[in-house]
Amino acid sequence: NAGVTQTPKFQVLKTGQSMTLQCAQDMNHNSMYWYRQDPGMGLRLIYYSASEGTTDKGEVPNGYNVSRLNKREFSLRLESAAPSQTSVYFCASRSGGAYDTQYFGPGTRLTVL
Amino acid sequence: QQPVQSPQAVILREGEDAVINCSSSKALYSVHWYRQKHGEAPVFLMILLKGGEQKGHEKISASFNEKKQQSSLYLTASQLSYSGTYFCGTETGNTGKLIFGQGTTLQVKP
């Protein structure tokens, strides 16, 4: 079991460029999440998908789009990157049962110049 | 709304105890605690459900005061490996959506 995997691990973009962050989980979890982490701000929820075929906005969705491609994969797209989107991005998944919790991927460190 | 953690930072010697608090202005359904080492992903420690048991780590315990919408994480006889940033994640219903506090940085010195 690989758990939650993310690609790429590091990325540098220029302002205005676009890119997609990929996330996959092999735990057969129903729910998947994208967070960004900035110094002193904790983890902020960007978008989440409670189940295959559904997506909802989190706390900071502006400038991002997501796609729940299938049960395993949940991607995050930046259409026109801005320096304010420089951050570490974490994907997480959750089974949805009682006493379950979220399992995080290793993160993608994104710098927008 | 983001829960508030206190203290923001704490420094301990090995063997000392620490308490980290997490407060919410909304009624809570569950509280999840995580620890994050520098440059790594958050790792699950503990979950507390409204009206339910706590489940998690052997050497770390926690409490959930449903009336005050507060949770506390208790780290006893701290070890060097306890160093890191601790986050509480709160759920206001069975939504599957966690909102995290800003984190508490714990440093354990020899």
Side-chain angles (χ1 to χ4, degrees):
Chain A
N1 265 359
V4 180
T5 57
Q6 292 182 236
T7 56
K9 290 186 178 180
F10 300 93
Q11 184 71 48
V12 178
L13 293 178
K14 293 182 180 178
T15 297
Q17 287 185 319
S18 63
M19 79 159 295
T20 300
L21 280 64
Q22 306 286 353
C23 174
Q25 52 92 9
D26 62 1
M27 296 176 282
N28 200 36
H29 285 173
N30 292 315
S31 303
M32 297 185 74
Y33 308 82
W34 277 106
Y35 291 89
R36 61 177 287 172
Q37 185 173 37
D38 304 297
M41 298 293 289
L43 294 149
R44 292 185 292 171
L45 182 65
I46 304 171
Y47 271 95
Y48 68 106
S49 171
S51 60
E52 187 178 353
T54 68
T55 60
D56 283 292
K57 294 179 181 179
E59 303 167 85
V60 288
N62 291 344
Y64 305 94
N65 285 303
V66 291
S67 295
R68 183 74 182 267
L69 304 169
N70 47 56
K71 192 171 186 178
R72 290 187 63 249
E73 298 172 290
F74 189 37
S75 63
L76 179 72
R77 182 160 179 84
L78 286 71
E79 292 290 351
S80 179
S84 60
Q85 294 178 307
T86 292
S87 188
V88 180
Y89 291 86
F90 287 101
C91 177
S93 70
R94 183 173 182 180
S95 64
Y99 291 106
D100 73 323
T101 190
Q102 292 181 3
Y103 296 89
F104 285 84
T108 293
R109 190 172 297 273
L110 175 68
T111 302
V112 184
L113 302 174
Chain B
Q1 191 167 353
Q2 190 178 33
V4 177
Q5 290 184 229
S6 62
Q8 287 190 330
V10 60
I11 300 174
L12 299 174
R13 294 285 181 187
E14 269 188 296
E16 293 181 339
D17 302 338
V19 180
I20 299 172
N21 301 302
C22 175
S23 297
S24 174
S25 59
K26 295 187 175 182
L28 295 178
Y29 172 78
S30 70
V31 180
H32 303 228
W33 286 96
Y34 289 79
R35 177 171 60 212
Q36 184 179 32
K37 303 274 188 179
H38 183 69
E40 299 179 5
V43 174
F44 169 72
L45 292 175
M46 181 80 60
I47 180 173
L48 302 102
L49 259 62
K50 180 179 179 180
E53 305 173 19
Q54 66 179 46
K55 288 192 180 285
H57 202 279
E58 279 186 4
K59 297 183 180 180
I60 297 173
S61 62
S63 64
F64 182 14
N65 187 323
E66 297 172 24
K67 289 183 179 178
K68 292 186 176 181
Q69 310 309 327
Q70 290 177 351
S71 178
S72 296
L73 186 72
Y74 304 97
L75 305 162
T76 57
S78 58
Q79 306 169 12
L80 294 176
S81 61
Y82 285 10
S83 293
T85 301
Y86 290 77
F87 293 98
C88 67
T90 58
E91 231 177 338
T92 54
N94 190 11
T95 62
K97 188 170 73 169
L98 287 180
I99 303 298
F100 286 87
Q102 80 279 18
T104 296
T105 301
L106 176 73
Q107 185 180 3
V108 181
K109 294 185 173 182

